[in-house]
Amino acid sequence: SGLSKVATTGSYSDLTNLPVIDNSVSSLTDVTLTNISTNDVLVYNGTTWYNRKSSTRSVTVITDDTTITNVSDTVIVRKSTGSATTITLPAGSSFEEGQVVQFKDGKGDATTNNITIKANGSDVIDGASSVILSEGYAAVSILWDGSNWNIV
């Protein structure tokens, strides 16, 4: 029969009436995906599958003023020359509620060359339009709560 031939030959070409399996997540009725990004995993809450960040952290290293276009977990500022740097965030709505982004002075010169993390549009970081790193090797983590950025 066809199955015994597959077992001995490893070839599926002789099977007929194969089921068609749609392997795309979008075809599943109990999956809700929001703000999909690299390294997401599917988590089941008892009724629905949804995407969440995995324990793998994504890192972006920047060397100059930047408007972030991809959503990373960690942004390291490592400039080759000493100068102040401004990082502008994308709209908060492009982040998942509860997502944390870390910023780090990777060169260690924020004391003389401040790093400004600027919220997008009407978004705010702890009620302000920006937060400034002003100590060498300083770092700050901000969390998107669905409406605002919060320093954590």
Side-chain angles (χ1 to χ4, degrees):
S1 81
L3 290 177
S4 63
K5 185 170 184 178
V6 169
T8 59
T9 66
S11 171
Y12 293 94
S13 62
D14 57 340
L15 295 177
T16 57
N17 299 320
L18 298 174
V20 175
I21 299 172
D22 183 350
N23 62 358
S24 70
V25 172
S26 62
S27 69
L28 303 174
T29 58
D30 61 346
V31 175
T32 302
L33 301 177
T34 56
N35 298 325
I36 300 168
S37 61
T38 303
N39 298 324
D40 278 2
V41 294
L42 285 177
V43 178
Y44 189 66
N45 68 7
T47 56
T48 304
W49 289 93
Y50 59 96
N51 61 304
R52 285 281 183 220
K53 290 280 187 199
S54 74
S55 59
T56 302
R57 305 201 44 93
S58 58
V59 177
T60 299
V61 176
I62 64 167
T63 58
D64 206 347
D65 288 350
T66 302
T67 298
I68 298 174
T69 56
N70 63 327
V71 178
S72 292
D73 296 309
T74 304
V75 177
I76 299 174
V77 179
R78 191 171 292 130
K79 303 168 291 210
S80 57
T81 60
S83 61
T85 304
T86 300
I87 303 165
T88 304
L89 295 166
S93 60
S94 66
F95 292 83
E96 186 174 332
E97 183 176 334
Q99 185 171 352
V100 175
V101 182
Q102 299 173 321
F103 297 88
K104 169 76 174 161
D105 172 17
K107 186 174 183 204
D109 70 344
T111 303
T112 54
N113 298 298
N114 293 166
I115 298 169
T116 302
I117 297 126
K118 184 177 166 187
N120 184 292
S122 62
D123 294 344
V124 293
I125 305 168
D126 271 4
S129 62
S130 63
V131 63
I132 297 173
L133 299 181
S134 58
E135 296 293 326
Y137 297 104
V140 66
S141 296
I142 59 174
L143 175 138
W144 178 251
D145 68 7
S147 301
N148 299 290
W149 288 106
N150 300 275
I151 296 175
V152 292

